[in-house]
């Protein structure tokens, strides 16, 4: 997606003396060989001895990208380039209900300005929602169960999260739709210091959403090996797993594999329509900062 990328980043981790979880502030600026510019600031703060948690994400991107169409079987020949300029703000305030259960409210705002589209392409026609840019503004509810031993580098425990967002004109949105997201993660320690990590996820959209917000897979987090957004539609499911092996100091190796699928209607999910991915990689870890207790 990027070619060679470089930049600067800063991470500050700190802990309230009464909190069992560490707070963090991060910032980065990245520029890539393909003239993509990204600037991000993120905060993850715990207050009142961990009773409240505030997560904030603010980013600006001017990001030449590729679009392959909508659906689970779009051909490589459908590829077209486009350049959006995006400002994204997401704020989540959690309330801790017990040692493992959190519930909160989420606000998400995204402004997209379409800087360039490929002449004669689908996006140039302006017919597809989002092809001319616009605002997406939504409010929602988020709830999770978190028993991980470490939020930065989990070795055991589980994380289950349910998010629902409602985008409406009353909130300043140019699009009206509902977005439900499910994220489940389980971590198992084996052979003393090896870890198996398993993630299942799903996203389900109802209404008229911009194509940028469609459910998708690919990129560095979900189904690595596929271009980010190579396949996208209103609904998506994915399952992936990793086997992590420490090697020396903070370095390790990992093997990973996954399956995923996108469809326009939930009833169209089928066992013979999944895409597969797999590979190996290197990892750097530092799990000292955030263990419970």
């Amino acid at each position: 997606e990027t070619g060679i990328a470089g930049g600067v980043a800063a991470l500050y981790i700190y802990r309230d003396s009464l909190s069992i979880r560490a707070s963090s502030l991060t910032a980065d600026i990245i520029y890539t060989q393909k003239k993509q510019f990204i600037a991000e600031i993120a905060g993850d703060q715990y207050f009142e001895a961990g009773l409240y948690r505030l997560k904030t994400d603010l980013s600006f991107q001017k990001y030449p990208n590729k679009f392959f169409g909508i659906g689970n079987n779009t051909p490589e020949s459908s590829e077209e380039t486009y350049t959006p300029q995006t400002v994204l703000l997401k704020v989540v305030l959690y309330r801790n209900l017990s040692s493992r259960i959190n519930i909160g409210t989420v606000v998400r705002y995204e402004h997209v300005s379409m800087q360039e589209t490929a002449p004669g392409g689908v996006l140039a026609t302006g017919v597809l929602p989002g092809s001319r840019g616009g605002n997406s503004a939504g409010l929602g509810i988020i709830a999770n169960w978190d028993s991980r031993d470490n939020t930065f580098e989990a070795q055991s425990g589980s994380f289950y999260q349910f998010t629902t967002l409602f985008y409406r004109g009353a909130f300043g949105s140019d699009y009206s739709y509902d977005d439900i997201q499910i994220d489940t993660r389980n971590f198992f320690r084996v052979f003393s210091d090896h870890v198996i990590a398993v993630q299942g996820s799903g996203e389900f959209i109802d209404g008229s959403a911009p194509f940028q917000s469609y459910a998708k897979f690919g990129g560095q987090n979900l189904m690595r090996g596929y271009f980010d957004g190579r396949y996208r539609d209103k609904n998506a499911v994915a399952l992936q797993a990793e086997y992590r092996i420490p090697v020396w100091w903070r370095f390790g190796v990992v093997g990973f594999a996954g399956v995923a699928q996108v469809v326009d209607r939930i009833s169209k999910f089928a066992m013979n329509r999944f895409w597969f991915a797999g590979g190996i990689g290197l990892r750097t870890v530092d799990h000292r900062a955030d263990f419970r207790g």
Side-chain angles (χ1 to χ4, degrees), residues 46-120:
Y46 290 86
F47 301 98
E48 302 292 332
L51 185 63
Y52 295 97
R53 180 187 185 188
L54 179 66
K55 293 193 68 176
T56 56
D57 294 280
L58 176 63
S59 66
F60 170 85
Q61 298 186 10
K62 187 173 182 181
Y63 201 92
N65 209 339
K66 295 180 181 180
F67 176 67
F68 295 86
I70 306 297
N72 197 57
N73 293 295
T74 53
E76 290 290 334
S77 59
S78 65
E79 175 187 323
E80 59 183 88
T81 59
Y82 71 106
T83 302
Q85 182 172 286
T86 305
V87 177
L88 174 64
L89 173 66
K90 184 178 180 180
V91 180
V92 184
L93 178 62
Y94 291 98
R95 170 66 157 83
N96 182 248
L97 300 183
S98 71
S99 62
R100 296 180 176 179
I101 300 175
N102 306 278
I103 190 168
T105 56
V106 55
V107 177
R108 186 179 184 277
Y109 172 80
E110 183 177 24
H111 172 75
V112 178
S113 173
M114 198 62 71
Q115 302 292 298
E116 186 177 353
T117 56

Side-chain angles (χ1 to χ4, degrees), residues 128-141:
L128 188 67
S131 57
R132 297 188 184 278
N135 299 312
S136 297
L139 298 175
I141 299 171

